[in-house]
Amino acid sequence: MITEQAKQKCAIFAAIVFLTVVFALIDWKTGYELNFFVFYFIPVCLAAWYGGFLGAGILSILSAVFWFTANDLAGLTYSMELYAVWNTIIRLTAFMTIGWAFAEIRKLMLSEKDKATALKKSLAEIKVLEGILSVCCQCKKIRTEQGEWQQIESYISHHSAALFSHGYCPECYKKALAEAGLIEETGV
């Protein structure tokens, strides 16, 4: 079963081939004295944009063949057959180079777009604490924007992506054991 996206790509490629045929006909009608080959870059670039390097390669070959055929039908003759082959290879190389460049540009743009989307998503998830926070000197609760006092862990967890776990620092650990009567207090 052909997907809608595949149908759309086929339609775009058919339009690009049609455009190439139109340029070939114009090239043929204007004759070989008027150099028209740069206009073949347009369909090659479009093929690279929508079909990647493979699409550009196919259109490059078609464009080189169409250019050669248009000049041959227009009556262009070379003193040596090698010159015709050379000119066709040069144009094919130019078409392939432009196609490759556009395919790479498209790939880089899509990569940058994906990175920008991921960055926007990450930035949207970041919560920043800023400004002056009122903290109780004794119990370490924070006063909220509504004026209520809230545990510091709860406040920070609500306003950031931070999570808390609890434990004792060495000094508080010794103090807690001494208060529980499990060890003698050593002046800590």
Side-chain angles (χ1 to χ4, degrees):
M1 182 172 177
I2 299 175
T3 65
E4 193 62 36
Q5 186 178 9
K7 288 179 186 178
Q8 188 178 25
K9 273 194 163 190
C10 287
I12 289 170
F13 197 74
I16 293 169
V17 170
F18 178 75
L19 182 62
T20 309
V21 170
V22 168
F23 285 145
L25 289 172
I26 294 170
D27 194 12
W28 169 54
K29 288 296 184 181
T30 58
Y32 61 86
E33 290 178 335
L34 216 97
N35 206 338
F36 202 77
F37 95 97
V38 293
F39 290 99
Y40 290 98
F41 287 150
I42 296 169
V44 169
C45 292
L46 289 171
W49 195 260
Y50 291 105
F53 184 64
L54 177 64
I58 293 169
L59 244 296
S60 294
I61 293 168
L62 275 176
S63 294
V65 169
F66 287 169
W67 169 83
F68 177 82
T69 305
N71 281 340
D72 190 49
L73 292 174
L76 177 62
T77 57
Y78 293 95
S79 59
M80 289 179 60
E81 194 65 32
L82 179 64
Y83 296 156
V85 172
W86 175 259
N87 285 342
T88 304
I89 289 172
I90 291 297
R91 281 169 174 75
L92 176 61
T93 303
F95 297 147
M96 293 289 270
T97 302
I98 293 292
W100 172 82
F102 262 77
E104 285 299 308
I105 290 169
R106 172 75 168 165
K107 190 176 4 172
L108 290 171
M109 285 180 61
L110 290 175
S111 174
E112 288 300 315
K113 183 179 177 183
D114 290 345
K115 288 176 186 174
T117 302
L119 180 61
K120 285 179 184 177
K121 182 181 176 194
S122 294
L123 288 174
E125 292 173 357
I126 293 175
K127 295 180 181 179
V128 178
L129 287 174
E130 55 187 18
I132 298 175
L133 301 175
S134 297
V135 180
C136 174
C137 296
Q138 185 64 33
C139 68
K140 305 298 184 210
K141 288 184 179 179
I142 293 181
R143 185 173 28 210
T144 67
E145 296 82 13
Q146 293 78 26
E148 299 172 356
W149 291 93
Q150 187 177 20
Q151 288 290 352
I152 191 167
E153 296 91 345
S154 175
Y155 182 87
I156 291 175
S157 293
H158 181 71
H159 289 85
S160 72
L163 299 175
F164 287 86
S165 69
H166 291 85
Y168 287 103
C169 72
E171 291 176 21
C172 292
Y173 177 70
K174 288 178 185 177
K175 186 177 177 182
L177 288 176
E179 287 176 2
L182 298 174
I183 62 168
E184 282 186 38
E185 211 170 317
T186 58
V188 176

